[in-house]
Structures are given as structure tokens and as C-alpha cells.
Amino acid sequence: MKKRILLGVISALVAGAVLSGCGEQKLTEAGAAKTGEKYGDAQAAVWPSLTSGIPKDPAIEARIDNLLSRMSVEEKVGQMIQAEIKNVTPEEARAYHLGSILNGGGAFPNNDKHASVADWVALADAFYAASMDTSDGGVAIPIIWGTDAVHGHNNVIGATLFPHNIGLGATQNPELMRQVGAVTAAEVSATGIDWVFAPTLAVTRDDRWGRSYESYSEDPQIVRSYSGRLVEGLQGRPGSDELFAPKRVVSTAKHFIADGGTENGIDRGDAIMSEAELIEIHAQGYFSAIESGVQTVMASFSSWNGEKLHGHKYLLTDVLKERLGFDGFVVGDWAGHQFVNGCSNVSCPQAVNAGLDMFMAPDPSWKTLYANTVAQAKSGEISAQRLNDAVRRILRVKLRAGLFDAGAPSTRAYAADESLIGAPAHRAIARQTVRESLVLLKNNDGLLPLQRSQRILVAGDGADNIGKQAGGWSITWQGTGNENSDFPGATSIFGGIAEAVASAGGVAELAVDGHYTEKPDVAIVVFGEDPYAEMQGDVSNLDYPGDADLALIQRLKAQGIPVVSLFITGRPLWVNPEINASDAFVVIWQPGTEGAGVADVILRDGKGEVNHDFKGQLTFSWPDSALPTVRNRGENEALAQFKYGYGLDYGQSVQLAALSEESGLELSHGNEALAVFNGRALDPWSLQVTDAGNNQTVIASSVSKLQGISVQSVDRNVQEDSRRLQWTGEGNAVAGFFANSRTDLTGYLENQGALVFDVKVDGAPSSAVNLGVFCGQDCGAEQSITDVLNSATPGEWRTISVDLQCLANGGAKMDMVLSPFYVRTAGALDMTVHNVRVASQASADIHCG
């Protein structure tokens, strides 16, 4: 049985950036990637034959022919580059004939978080004018600006922010999604932007994934029922006057494909599954999106059975473009091309040849990527046919969207119309989505709905915290660093409750710590996950680490105060102790800016009647323990505390019995050494190398020679019990032990633990050598071992011990470890390693306070 292997995380380490974006890749034990392996016929695999909702227009195709005939190779390649506004100027966009720009999370005009609508439009105008400048003899082709508008126009101050997708899924209201899309499109168009990177069509299967809240459901049919309507809301209905009318934008189906199905919920990881499962579970949302005319598809960072999606010709070309009939363009994701085997940030013809039409190239190196791609197109490494196809698709989308005839962004209908940003009608729709998304898990003794006329204490750190209730992708990428004042026009949970209570003569007191001035009739505690995005939200288990929140609930209960808990979360988590301590428990997800929607449901109206009933139902199975066991509809359903579809309403009288408070987790004390390599790589790790050419390999043979590095099995005590690692100095290369599952080393960290290994140095390092621990994007650390290697007696074995605290201080999360040991250098080095382990109470050669 082959190991499930994580690889690709080290490709960024090769570039010397331990905290840069990383992905995972599975290779065969022979060390050969599945890249290039012959796949079955797409039709035989039962991929449906689809037709885009927007048919080809002969007039547009003729216009494209004319444009292509007049464009140079340089201009064509320029169309294929998307640069980020922090790292490109309008003048550069003109000189390189760039096809697109984007603003990543946390990027704003003039680097001003509080940029006005006029500032956004002015920048859009500047780039548009640059793209239409023909003074150098080039062809005028309007640039297209893309933005992450994943729950409203979330980068813009004052915009309407909807609940994240997990909350929208709980509404089980597909028709409402068309309105969500239309509101988002209207607010985006007001800022002069043409294109949104939405909707996300992930089907989350392991809730440890940090992007679980971007998924509507674990059920592919929910995702399918939503995706087409969201596309129609954003772009307008095909065949109608709505299509790309004012207040509409180009949409994106992302991330193709199976980003929600990675092994162990590791962001950017490997989806290890059959093609049938890929179709049945993870492709369904793309089917309805294509039928509704989606114009762009974003390739996923992740892999399918070891092959990176950015370089997957079978899926991008044979399936998506040919079998599924997608005739728009495929865009990459945040330099994701660099993780394709043999590629780098500045060169990846493999991705273009696989079917990627536009590179998302957000850092300043886009100019080098451009130059290399031009050279590859001229040399024939990228064929003229493939180049023209990519550019044809980009031009087709721009023409269909009307960008050639729309004029400068500031001249378009509704441009710079500040009244559209956070418009009352838009907020009303968002408030409705909040109401319909709430899921009632417990309502013992019918505590809810509450009378407005009571004295109500509102406590918890989420009570009056709009940033927390909005979650990630809210003004900033991670959703952190925000204050309530960054959300003008928004309403916090407490704000909505206070307004409703005051209208009936009641009193709502805010006390985050629960210390009230006068004993209340009832307490509402608002708590839950803090904001996060992408890989920074990955977790190792499903335990909610909220001891302080539980203590607050228990303290109020002990005083004889009924407690209603409102749980802010981006995924199902084990909260049995918090549920037991509460009289009523409501999952409010991440409701966005319209917190008053919560009060609409949990409070009675002014006449004492039910105001709005609960409608939300779980579209994710809720765990019965904190164990990281996959629980989905039709999969381990017996391990769900609350099954898919659960959700009480006021017409039900259910007394929830006390739930088990056994989390199922075992605390590791780190008393015994944890072996990583002892004669062989021990499960779950495998020895993996990324060479100087960014080629990634699992070492499964006794001798492996790669670019800039070689690995050989050698003898110390018994046959082939050690590994000789030789770097030639040709460039950065990494060797280490990686897994496709996480290991918790906190017990060792708390017990004076160290990373220990035996080493023999036969050739001293010619450059810096770092030892590292890796736990994901922006999660890892390196420690220099150059001096200790230089001090080693050549040819003699010695033991080196590195204090785990050094690596924890550097940013490694010890409960999330994917690689406990890797070595990176760009110079020459000849060393042999033996008996790599993590040990407690170790005397460290390298230690940190």
C-alpha cells in the first residue's frame, strides 16, 4: 500500500521563503509524479457534455480574429499576465500591455485602507487609460480588474458584507443567492471594478480545513443548486437584458477542482480520490456555473492525486474546456503556477501548455515571468496555437462583458455612486440572509424567543465586535486589525439587540466580561472563532479552545441567570461543554455586517409574538467529539452530534439531554522520544526532496541524483540505516521528512523538547544552512545550523540537538506540524543523517530563552 505523501510544501522553501505560499503533492513511491500520466477518456469517465449559457457570437469571434492578427507576441503575453496593484503602475501596464490587474486581500488604492469610492474609480481609470494607449503602436485592449468579493465587496469600507458561504448554505435558499450576487455586483461596479473572484464552489469534506467557511455545504447538490444562481446574480441571466448590464460583473468559479477535498483538510493539499468521486462530489457546482455562463475559472492551489491543478492538462483542457464546454479563460491563483513540478515563480510554460490562460502574478517578479513567457512563446516551447487560444479566450470574455465599448470606468453608469455602497436595500437583503442562516441547536424549556421588555445582559467578546462577526476576508485578508469604525453603517450583534429591546422599553446592558450593574433576567453570550483566512485557519482537531467563554457561561448560570449562547464560527466544532452550560444555543456562523438579523429571530416582536422563526439547517454534520474524524452526509453519520439537516424552530419542543463532555483527544506529554527517521522514514513521514530546479521527489530508491542535490542510502550500524545528502551549490535545495497529516508536538515543547539527530559532515557548508519545521502557509520556522556543522570534525559522527522553543519562537505551531525536520541550503554541503527524533528533557546545542 502506498503512503499518502505530502510534497510541494517544500517548493517555496527552495526559494528560501519558509513562510511563503506552499502546497502539497503526492508522488508515487518510485519518486515519479503522476504528471503526464495517461488518463482515461473524459467522456468514458462520465463527465457530462455541457453547453455554456452564453453561446459564441460569430461577430465577437471575427473581432477576436482581427485583434489577434494585429497583436505581437509581446502583446499577447501581456494579456496573460495579471499583476497586483501594490506592485504595478499604470505606466508599467501600458508598457507591458497587461491584460489584468487585481487587488489582493488588504490591497487598496494608494495603500489606504480607507480609500474612498472615488479613489477606487480613479485608479481604475488610470489603468484603463494605460491599456487603451496606442502611442507605441500596440493594440488598444481594455484591462480587466479582478477582486476578491467573497461575501460582498469585502475590501471596501462601508460595503454590505453577507454571511460567509457556510451561513448562506444553512439558509438552504438557492433563490436568495441570486440576490446576494446582484448586490455584490452592484457595489463592485460602483468602484470601477469589472471582475470578482467568486463564487467559491468548494465542497468541504474535512472541517479542519481553514477555508471551510467558504463552502456552502458538504453536500455537492447544495453547491450545485447555489452556483448557477450566484453566477446569474453577478453577471445577469444569460439571454436577458441583465447580462453584463450596468451593475453586473464577470464572475469566477473557483477553485477548480476539489480544493475542499484535500487529505486531512490541509489547505492547498492533495485530493486523493477516484475520478468518479471527483465528478460526483467536487465537480457538481461547476456544472451549473458553466450552464449559467460563468466566464472565468480559477485553478486551485491543490493537487489531484499528486498533480498540481495549475499544471493539470487533463482536467484544465480535456475536461473543463473540451468536455464541459467552458469557453472563457482559466486564471491562476496567487502565483500558484510556481508549485507545478519544474516551475518557478518566474517561469512556467508547463502551466500554459496545460491550459492556464492567465497567470496571477502578484509580486514584482511578474516582469521576469513576462519576459520568460515571451521567450518561450518565440522558441515554440509554448506553441503559437496555445498562445492564441489563451489570448482568444481572454479577449472573448472582455468583449462579451462589453469592456471594449464601455469607456473609462468613471464614465460608466453608477460609477463612483457612493449610494450603492452599503445601500439600505442591500443591507436589507443581507439582514434577511442572516435571519435565515441561524441554526438553533438547543432551546430547553422554550427560552427563546426572548421578550424585548426584559433586562438583558449581552456578554462575550463577540457581542460588540463587527470584525469578529464578519470573519476573514473583511477589509483585510485575515479579517484582523479592524475596529467597529472600519464598518460604517454596520450593526453589531449587541447593536441589533439593544435597538430592538429599547423599542419595547427593555434594557440591554453590554458587559463583555459578564459583570453586570444590575442582575439581568437573561444573559446572551456571544463568542466563538476569531477571524482567519485560508491556510491560517487550518486546525489539527475540532475542539473549540474557549475555556474563558465556557467559564463565563458557567459563572452566569451559577448565578441563576438563564443563558443564551450565540456561537460565531466558520465550521462545525466540538462545543458540548458550552452547549451543556447553556439553556439555548444558536450557531450564528459569521453573519457579516448586518448583526441585527440575529435580534430579529431571537427576540419577540413588540407584541410579544414570534418575530421571525428559525429557518437555518445544518449543511455540515456537527461533530460528537473533537477527534478529526471526517463526518459527512452518508459518511460516518453515526459520529455526528447533530446530523446534516438538523435545526430546531419555534414549533418544536425539544429538551436536549446533557451531551458527553469527553472530547476524545489524548494529551501528549512528550515523555517518550518520537522517531522520525531510524533506518527508514517512519510513518507518517517520507523523505522528500525539492531540487534546485524546483522538481519535487519522494526518495524511494537507494541512490537519487537530482539538480543540485543527491541522496544515497549508506551504512552506519546496519545496512542502509542512514542517508547521505550532498548539495552541489547549484542553488537552493531542500531535503526533509514530510507528511500529509499533522503531528502535535506541544507536549515536547512544554517538556524542554528538542529536535535531535546524528550527523556526519564530510564536506563543510559553503553557504548558510538552515534546519526547519513546517506547518503550512505562514506557519513554520528555520534555525541556522551553519556554525555547528562547520565546527564538526570531518568524517566523525556527532549528535546535534535544537531546542524546539527556537522554532516555536520563529512561528512554528507545534500542534500543526507537517514536517518536523528539513534542511535547506543554496551552497555546497556533504552530510549524512541518522536517527532523527524529537525528544524531551534534551540538552540542546542550540537553545533559545
Side-chain angles (χ1 to χ4, degrees):
M1 181 178 179
K2 293 179 179 177
K3 290 182 180 178
R4 288 177 171 179
I5 300 167
L6 178 151
L7 192 67
V9 297
I10 49 178
S11 58
L13 307 181
V14 169
V18 64
L19 299 184
S20 66
C22 305
E24 291 74 32
Q25 186 170 28
K26 179 179 181 291
L27 276 73
T28 65
E29 289 205 351
K34 286 193 173 182
T35 303
E37 180 177 308
K38 297 295 184 182
Y39 291 89
D41 180 74
Q43 183 173 356
V46 202
W47 289 94
S49 177
L50 303 178
T51 301
S52 170
I54 304 176
K56 286 185 179 177
D57 182 339
I60 286 179
E61 298 305 308
R63 196 169 173 184
I64 295 171
D65 290 338
N66 177 266
L67 289 166
L68 286 172
S69 70
R70 295 157 49 204
M71 296 172 69
S72 66
V73 169
E74 287 80 2
E75 288 175 275
K76 291 175 181 178
V77 171
Q79 287 299 303
M80 299 170 65
I81 301 292
Q82 181 183 63
E84 213 271 345
I85 62 171
K86 288 189 292 189
N87 293 309
V88 65
T89 65
E91 175 56 29
E92 289 170 331
R94 183 199 64 77
Y96 288 85
H97 301 279
L98 294 189
S100 181
I101 55 170
L102 80 151
N103 62 291
F108 315 98
N110 309 313
N111 290 317
D112 180 7
K113 175 179 174 179
H114 295 91
S116 68
V117 173
D119 292 333
W120 287 90
V121 174
L123 187 59
D125 267 357
F127 278 105
Y128 172 84
S131 69
M132 302 302 285
D133 186 338
T134 60
S135 60
D136 64 353
V139 180
I141 299 175
I143 201 164
I144 186 169
W145 182 338
T147 191
D148 282 294
V150 299
H151 67 134
H153 198 10
N154 45 258
N155 293 288
V156 174
I157 298 291
T160 306
L161 301 189
F162 291 89
H164 273 294
N165 290 353
I166 193 169
L168 296 182
T171 71
Q172 302 209 23
N173 187 345
E175 286 305 318
L176 185 57
M177 298 308 107
R178 188 179 279 114
Q179 296 180 60
V180 171
V183 167
T184 301
E187 298 199 12
V188 169
S189 64
T191 57
I193 296 175
D194 322 285
W195 176 22
V196 300
F197 304 140
T200 299
L201 303 181
V203 180
T204 299
R205 305 299 284 176
D206 189 321
D207 300 336
R208 290 175 290 173
W209 186 37
R211 303 189 80 156
S212 290
Y213 65 79
E214 295 187 57
S215 174
Y216 301 107
S217 178
E218 67 191 29
D219 183 348
Q221 294 310 312
I222 292 287
V223 178
R224 183 170 185 168
S225 71
Y226 274 31
S227 62
R229 288 171 174 86
L230 279 152
V231 168
E232 291 174 1
L234 290 163
Q235 297 185 167
R237 291 180 177 89
S240 74
D241 293 339
E242 295 175 354
L243 186 63
F244 297 123
K247 296 198 292 185
R248 303 288 179 171
V249 295
V250 174
S251 67
T252 306
K254 68 178 189 182
H255 308 84
F256 190 79
I257 187 175
D259 52 338
T262 59
E263 194 79 353
N264 296 304
I266 296 172
D267 189 48
R268 307 183 179 189
D270 193 1
I272 302 171
M273 64 186 65
S274 68
E275 190 164 5
E277 184 177 349
L278 190 71
I279 296 169
E280 293 166 7
I281 301 296
H282 298 283
Q284 296 298 314
Y286 294 93
F287 298 162
S288 60
I290 290 169
E291 290 171 331
S292 292
V294 70
Q295 288 298 285
T296 70
V297 169
M298 184 179 290
S300 178
F301 268 111
S302 56
S303 306
W304 177 45
N305 292 333
E307 187 173 348
K308 284 293 178 186
L309 267 300
H310 276 68
H312 208 301
K313 184 178 184 296
Y314 174 69
L315 288 177
L316 293 183
T317 298
D318 299 353
V319 170
L320 178 63
K321 294 180 175 179
E322 295 178 4
R323 181 63 182 172
L324 300 183
F326 173 69
D327 64 3
F329 69 84
V330 176
V331 64
D333 189 1
W334 203 261
H337 56 274
Q338 68 182 304
F339 303 114
V340 174
N341 226 35
C343 288
S344 70
N345 199 27
V346 297
S347 178
C348 195
Q350 296 94 320
V352 177
N353 290 332
L356 191 77
D357 301 308
M358 181 180 286
F359 290 108
M360 185 183 289
D363 63 48
S365 68
W366 66 262
K367 295 177 185 177
T368 307
L369 176 65
Y370 166 88
N372 287 334
T373 307
V374 167
Q376 291 151 3
K378 289 184 174 180
S379 72
E381 190 171 3
I382 297 171
S383 70
Q385 180 182 12
R386 175 76 268 268
L387 179 70
N388 287 337
D389 175 63
V391 180
R392 173 177 291 276
R393 289 170 174 275
I394 293 167
L395 296 177
R396 181 182 293 137
V397 171
K398 291 182 176 183
L399 284 163
R400 282 175 172 170
L403 299 185
F404 277 82
D405 306 312
S410 62
T411 68
R412 301 172 192 170
Y414 305 105
D417 185 348
E418 294 187 6
S419 69
L420 286 176
I421 305 298
H426 296 173
R427 293 190 183 279
I429 293 170
R431 185 167 173 171
Q432 177 187 350
T433 64
V434 174
R435 287 197 298 265
E436 296 189 17
S437 71
L438 308 180
V439 178
L440 180 61
L441 298 185
K442 179 180 182 179
N443 192 25
N444 281 9
D445 299 319
L447 178 60
L448 294 175
L450 303 175
Q451 292 286 355
R452 297 188 180 199
S453 57
Q454 296 183 96
R455 183 174 190 89
I456 300 175
L457 171 69
V458 186
D461 68 348
D464 195 33
N465 189 333
I466 298 172
K468 179 161 181 151
Q469 74 188 43
W473 294 107
S474 299
I475 309 301
T476 62
W477 172 41
Q478 292 294 316
T480 55
N482 295 317
E483 299 178 355
N484 283 2
S485 59
D486 293 320
F487 301 93
T491 306
S492 70
I493 306 299
F494 169 73
I497 293 169
E499 181 180 4
V501 169
S503 69
V507 174
E509 179 181 357
L510 175 66
V512 171
D513 63 3
H515 292 293
Y516 46 80
T517 57
E518 182 178 332
K519 187 175 181 179
D521 298 308
V522 64
I524 298 172
V525 180
V526 191
F527 66 99
E529 289 191 298
D530 290 325
Y532 54 83
E534 298 192 44
M535 70 300 297
Q536 294 195 19
D538 282 5
V539 293
S540 57
N541 59 63
L542 298 179
D543 185 35
Y544 172 64
D547 291 345
D549 301 315
L550 177 60
L552 171 59
I553 296 168
Q554 291 173 332
R555 174 162 52 85
L556 292 169
K557 275 288 290 181
Q559 296 171 34
I561 302 170
V563 175
V564 177
S565 286
L566 305 180
F567 187 46
I568 297 172
T569 187
R571 66 184 124 216
L573 290 171
W574 187 73
V575 284
N576 281 12
E578 289 82 359
I579 293 174
N580 285 342
S582 308
D583 297 282
F585 195 96
V586 184
V587 180
I588 66 172
W589 310 111
Q590 297 150 317
T593 54
E594 307 314 301
V598 176
D600 288 344
V601 179
I602 67 170
L603 299 177
R604 295 180 181 272
D605 64 17
K607 298 179 181 178
E609 303 296 329
V610 171
N611 189 28
H612 290 276
D613 205 344
F614 281 94
K615 293 184 177 180
Q617 296 178 323
L618 295 177
T619 53
F620 287 79
S621 303
W622 201 271
D624 67 345
S625 76
L627 291 172
T629 305
V630 172
R631 304 165 179 85
N632 292 305
R633 191 176 191 184
E635 182 180 14
N636 295 324
E637 286 186 286
L639 301 179
Q641 186 72 68
F642 302 102
K643 289 182 170 55
Y644 178 98
Y646 182 90
L648 302 174
D649 60 36
Y650 289 139
Q652 296 171 279
S653 178
V654 176
Q655 287 293 116
L656 185 67
L659 306 176
S660 169
E661 297 194 5
E662 293 295 325
S663 72
L665 300 177
E666 295 183 6
L667 181 64
S668 171
H669 298 288
N671 293 323
E672 295 182 2
L674 176 66
V676 176
F677 173 84
N678 191 6
R680 60 183 175 85
L682 300 174
D683 283 337
W685 297 288
S686 62
L687 177 57
Q688 303 182 15
V689 168
T690 292
D691 67 16
N694 201 34
N695 297 295
Q696 304 158 11
T697 306
V698 172
I699 304 301
S701 59
S702 59
V703 178
S704 298
K705 292 186 178 181
L706 305 159
Q707 184 179 343
I709 186 171
S710 64
V711 181
Q712 182 180 359
S713 298
V714 295
D715 305 346
R716 182 187 184 187
N717 300 320
V718 296
Q719 184 177 351
E720 296 190 351
D721 63 349
S722 305
R723 297 295 180 268
R724 185 177 186 181
L725 309 173
Q726 294 173 284
W727 284 262
T728 64
E730 295 176 47
N732 257 311
V734 172
F737 300 96
F738 291 78
N740 204 23
S741 59
R742 300 188 186 278
T743 298
D744 186 353
L745 300 181
T746 52
Y748 294 93
L749 179 66
E750 294 166 357
N751 202 12
Q752 299 178 29
L755 181 55
V756 185
F757 61 103
D758 298 343
V759 65
K760 177 167 67 76
V761 178
D762 288 307
S766 66
S767 185
V769 182
N770 287 342
L771 180 145
V773 167
F774 183 78
C775 47
Q777 172 80 10
D778 294 330
C779 181
E782 293 186 353
Q783 175 66 47
S784 174
I785 57 171
T786 313
D787 291 343
V788 72
L789 293 180
N790 273 321
S791 67
T793 302
E796 293 187 7
W797 285 98
R798 65 163 295 181
T799 299
I800 295 176
S801 178
V802 179
D803 187 355
L804 287 179
Q805 192 64 54
C806 298
L807 298 157
N809 292 348
K813 295 180 180 178
M814 289 300 168
D815 64 335
M816 301 278 286
V817 173
L818 294 169
S819 171
F821 177 100
Y822 69 82
V823 177
R824 177 176 65 84
T825 184
L829 171 65
D830 185 350
M831 61 180 277
T832 304
V833 295
H834 175 86
N835 193 16
V836 179
R837 66 269 192 197
V838 182
S840 298
Q841 299 294 325
S843 177
D845 299 290
I846 300 173
H847 53 83
C848 301

